[in-house]
Amino acid sequence: MAQGHQKMQLHWSPPSQRHIDIEGMDRTLRMLRFHIHNEAFHWLHQAQLQDSGAIYSRHPIESHNSNLVAAWSLLLLYFWRYSSIPPWLRGTLLRNGPGLFSVGNTSYKHWFDGMALIHSFTFKDGDVFYRSKFLNSETYKKNIAANRIIVSEFGTMVHPDPCKNIFSKAFSYFMNAIPDFTDNNLINIIRYGEDYYASSEVNYINQIDPLTLETLGRTNYRNHIAINLATAHPHYDEEGTTYNMGTAIMNFGRPKYVIFKVPSNATDKEKKKPALRKVELICSIPFHSTLYPSYFHSFGMTENYIIFVEQAFKLDILKLATAYFRDVNWGSCLKFDKDDITLIHLVNKKTGKTVSTKYYADAFVVFHHINAYEEDGHVVFDLITYQDSNLYDMFYIHNMKQDVDKFIETNNEFSRPTCQRFVLPLNIDKEAPPDTNLVKLQDTTATAVLKQDGSIYCTPDTIFEGLELPGINYKFNSKKYRYFYGTRVDWSPYPSKIAKVDIATRTHQVWIEEECYPSEPVFVASPDAVEEDEGVILSSVVSFNPQKPPFLVVLDAKSFKEIARATIDTAIHMDLHGLFIHDKST
């Protein structure tokens, strides 16, 4: 860690060039509450504007009036800096995640339910500017207006207000037989054309301004392509085209998985039409089990193929349709069938045709793909697998409130994340005898065994254990690569370290600081970089120790040493995913 520090200049960055409503801002900051962990759940931020800039003071609060939480106008701009941030680092790191867990007297039960809070770190000339705003979604507006949670989420099912009459209640039950999902898009920030959206895994996305973080409007996938669900982890090719996947389960004919793309020129110059109006269907894939579609959080992509892993972690459609009546949350409608198989689909990006060979593996659970590429007639893809589906259970609020060490001690039955490599041979030698391993690559122990019926049974090569939220130098997406980055986790919902994994040597490096919990690391390549790991790693870091303020850490990606940090004089939330936008884009 670099020694010595100096106080940075105080920067006041209004969300727009319009006049700032100081009284409204004061109310916002005064009433905002972050829920992170035990005693650190409650914070008050009171802003006063003086001639020399903005001054912040912080006090705990005991109560919360959500009618006064106009949190979309929160902004924060105050840093300390260790060492120096590289002057070439120019752009904005956008991050998304759950940030508000109680409204009035009601509270969410799961961490993935909290209302979306977007924050950003903007880098310019060695300085860092911070902003934070709640996503002004329809869900947020309804909950705040009612002063209670009235929109159901993944782990929290909400029922009619007890003050409603019997006819209103009956209508509510009827409407929820086919759920109109929340638009609380708390997982990621994605791009279609030149438009940026807060995204989760439902049919709604909310467009945001990447500079001011203002919510610009909601878009419904279903108005443009026949899907009910879509991932928050699309891929982008070198031309700027966005590739994504969704699921059609209700009102769209035969249930199917849908792969689509949006070209880079999809943005309306007048900013009046959504980029999705130019969506193009690549292909659809029927479900392996009609009433039990596979859950998928991400997918893989190479230069020529889309890789879809149809896993044995499934959504029970009948349970989903009756969840509201049975008083169970949507998360309970997902089940892992350990006795099933995992199907691996290869889809040609250009023709939309699925490779006819049946590739399959034993049952596992996957949320995040790392990368994929083609080499010598093989498709290689890396992902993070689990032996069961208990990961979601880890993030119920009652679990997250536990002391970290105690949680690890009492919950070591949770499956650890394992980084694994699968290899699919593209050219099948039909003359090869059954039980022949068709993988010809020398740098992996992954196998693809030809079976009697012509199918290919795949077993993985384990690269690393105990890492999640993976990221790469995205210039190497869909290409052969050597390094990936992630947060080190054991049997706890809290990541404790940032790691860099060298696939070639099967070694790793870590950054760690006591009592600190880093977010998903984001790689930013340095200008004119030649080697894959020339650049920096960015991660926002929180602590449950009130004596340790949160900070953004900057690591040299090659040496994995800390070169700078910006310490924030307020509480920030644990986020999930995001992206870096270079200054030319913003």
Side-chain angles (χ1 to χ4, degrees):
M1 182 188 307
Q3 298 300 315
H5 65 273
Q6 63 183 54
K7 191 173 181 179
M8 292 178 63
Q9 180 184 357
L10 193 60
H11 300 284
W12 181 256
S13 301
S16 71
Q17 298 304 312
R18 298 190 298 273
H19 174 70
I20 302 172
D21 178 4
I22 301 301
E23 290 186 4
M25 183 183 305
D26 182 67
R27 282 197 307 274
T28 296
L29 299 175
R30 199 166 359 103
M31 297 311 302
L32 178 63
R33 180 168 67 175
F34 286 99
H35 298 248
I36 298 180
H37 182 72
N38 291 342
E39 295 82 17
F41 261 43
H42 310 297
W43 301 89
L44 171 70
H45 303 284
Q46 182 178 12
Q48 297 175 334
L49 208 59
Q50 298 186 348
D51 292 339
S52 60
I55 297 177
Y56 288 84
S57 59
R58 183 170 61 201
H59 308 281
I61 62 175
E62 301 299 332
S63 62
H64 171 62
N65 183 346
S66 59
N67 285 320
L68 296 180
V69 181
W72 39 267
S73 63
L74 172 67
L75 44 112
L76 212 167
L77 325 115
Y78 189 137
F79 290 87
W80 293 72
R81 179 172 62 186
Y82 284 87
S83 186
S84 60
I85 291 173
W88 57 260
L89 185 60
R90 298 174 62 91
T92 298
L93 175 66
L94 283 172
R95 305 290 302 164
N96 195 359
L100 185 65
F101 295 85
S102 295
V103 183
N105 295 322
T106 59
S107 298
Y108 290 115
K109 297 178 180 179
H110 200 280
W111 188 55
F112 295 163
D113 297 343
M115 284 194 282
L117 179 58
I118 301 169
H119 60 166
S120 68
F121 302 84
T122 297
F123 301 84
K124 183 178 181 181
D125 300 329
D127 289 335
V128 187
F129 303 82
Y130 180 82
R131 285 188 178 90
S132 178
K133 293 185 183 180
F134 279 105
L135 181 70
N136 200 27
S137 63
E138 292 301 312
T139 295
Y140 176 85
K141 289 184 283 189
K142 289 177 181 178
N143 288 343
I144 297 302
N147 197 29
R148 63 188 291 266
I149 298 170
I150 64 172
V151 181
S152 296
E153 299 288 345
F154 169 84
T156 306
M157 182 60 73
V158 179
H159 294 281
D161 189 320
C163 297
K164 283 187 175 182
N165 62 42
I166 189 171
F167 299 105
S168 296
K169 290 182 180 180
F171 183 72
S172 295
Y173 278 99
F174 173 75
M175 291 299 293
N176 280 278
I178 300 178
D180 184 27
F181 294 110
T182 172
D183 69 339
N184 179 32
N185 304 127
L186 77 159
I187 294 180
N188 203 357
I189 304 295
I190 66 175
R191 177 181 59 77
Y192 287 121
E194 296 179 4
D195 300 339
Y196 291 88
Y197 296 86
S199 175
S200 50
E201 296 180 330
V202 296
N203 55 294
Y204 294 115
I205 52 178
N206 274 283
Q207 187 177 354
I208 64 166
D209 184 314
L211 286 181
T212 68
L213 307 186
E214 292 179 7
T215 304
L216 303 179
R218 187 173 79 169
T219 296
N220 190 341
Y221 277 110
R222 297 193 321 211
N223 293 336
H224 306 278
I225 189 169
I227 55 175
N228 302 90
L229 307 169
T231 85
H233 286 287
H235 283 280
Y236 311 98
D237 67 15
E238 293 180 347
E239 285 73 42
T241 299
T242 304
Y243 294 80
N244 208 349
M245 284 193 63
T247 305
I249 56 176
M250 297 173 182
N251 300 335
F252 294 125
R254 184 180 179 183
K256 54 188 175 292
Y257 309 107
V258 178
I259 302 174
F260 60 92
K261 65 180 180 180
V262 178
S264 58
N265 64 352
T267 295
D268 177 26
K269 293 183 179 180
E270 297 181 357
K271 303 291 184 180
K272 294 182 179 180
K273 299 178 182 179
L276 280 174
R277 77 191 191 283
K278 289 192 175 183
V279 66
E280 301 174 23
L281 176 68
I282 296 177
C283 79
S284 60
I285 301 171
F287 294 173
H288 174 57
S289 302
T290 303
L291 294 177
Y292 303 94
S294 172
Y295 168 80
F296 55 98
H297 185 74
S298 62
F299 60 98
M301 187 174 82
T302 70
E303 181 182 356
N304 295 296
Y305 296 97
I306 298 289
I307 303 154
F308 169 48
V309 176
E310 189 174 11
Q311 61 181 326
F313 187 32
K314 304 175 183 180
L315 175 64
D316 188 322
I317 293 180
L318 294 180
K319 286 187 176 181
L320 178 69
T322 60
Y324 194 77
F325 311 109
R326 294 183 295 109
D327 192 22
V328 298
N329 61 43
W330 292 328
S332 68
C333 303
L334 288 167
K335 295 296 180 184
F336 175 57
D337 184 356
K338 62 181 179 60
D339 298 318
D340 202 354
I341 62 172
T342 300
L343 289 173
I344 304 168
H345 302 275
L346 277 185
V347 177
N348 187 297
K349 286 165 55 178
K350 297 179 177 63
T351 66
K353 294 183 178 180
T354 303
V355 173
S356 59
T357 303
K358 177 184 176 182
Y359 302 97
Y360 71 100
D362 294 332
F364 58 79
V365 173
V366 56
F367 299 99
H368 294 118
H369 285 246
I370 304 173
N371 197 9
Y373 59 92
E374 299 163 41
E375 182 179 17
D376 297 336
H378 302 77
V379 167
V380 180
F381 67 98
D382 302 333
L383 37 72
I384 297 176
T385 68
Y386 295 82
Q387 295 302 307
D388 56 45
S389 59
N390 291 335
L391 177 69
Y392 276 136
D393 295 338
M394 186 183 293
F395 289 95
Y396 276 98
I397 297 298
H398 67 269
N399 283 331
M400 297 193 73
K401 286 183 178 181
Q402 293 184 41
D403 176 79
V404 175
D405 292 335
K406 180 180 178 182
F407 184 92
I408 293 174
E409 180 182 343
T410 58
N411 292 277
N412 57 15
E413 75 277 5
F414 283 100
S415 172
R416 294 185 75 195
T418 304
C419 307
Q420 295 189 310
R421 168 164 292 183
F422 286 84
V423 180
L424 311 180
L426 292 171
N427 304 311
I428 309 302
D429 182 3
K430 296 183 179 180
E431 302 300 321
D435 298 324
T436 298
N437 177 19
L438 301 180
V439 175
K440 306 301 182 185
L441 302 181
Q442 300 300 311
D443 60 352
T444 180
T445 60
T447 67
V449 177
L450 179 65
K451 308 307 287 186
Q452 188 74 42
D453 61 359
S455 62
I456 306 294
Y457 171 61
C458 302
T459 63
D461 175 8
T462 295
I463 299 172
F464 191 75
E465 291 188 359
L467 182 142
E468 251 293 1
L469 302 177
I472 61 170
N473 178 346
Y474 206 76
K475 292 182 178 180
F476 285 78
N477 190 55
S478 301
K479 302 174 183 177
K480 187 169 184 178
Y481 72 117
R482 178 171 178 173
Y483 305 106
F484 63 92
Y485 311 87
T487 53
R488 290 281 279 127
V489 291
D490 290 301
W491 291 275
S492 164
Y494 302 107
S496 59
K497 307 170 187 175
I498 306 173
K500 172 186 179 181
V501 178
D502 185 331
I503 300 172
T505 63
R506 304 297 170 101
T507 59
H508 74 284
Q509 299 168 270
V510 298
W511 174 91
I512 183 173
E513 184 158 326
E514 292 297 321
E515 299 181 307
C516 289
Y517 304 95
S519 69
E520 168 194 61
V522 175
F523 181 95
V524 182
S526 58
D528 304 318
V530 176
E531 297 185 6
E532 182 184 339
D533 59 349
E534 286 188 52
V536 295
I537 295 293
L538 307 177
S539 177
S540 60
V541 183
V542 301
S543 175
F544 302 144
N545 182 344
Q547 302 304 314
K548 287 193 172 186
F551 57 93
L552 178 89
V553 67
V554 183
L555 307 180
D556 177 83
K558 183 175 289 291
S559 67
F560 226 59
K561 302 295 184 182
E562 179 176 334
I563 58 174
R565 69 168 61 186
T567 302
I568 311 165
D569 190 31
T570 188
I572 67 172
H573 63 308
M574 291 175 59
D575 56 35
L576 284 169
H577 298 293
L579 49 71
F580 186 85
I581 307 173
H582 291 271
D583 61 346
K584 64 180 180 181
S585 301
T586 59

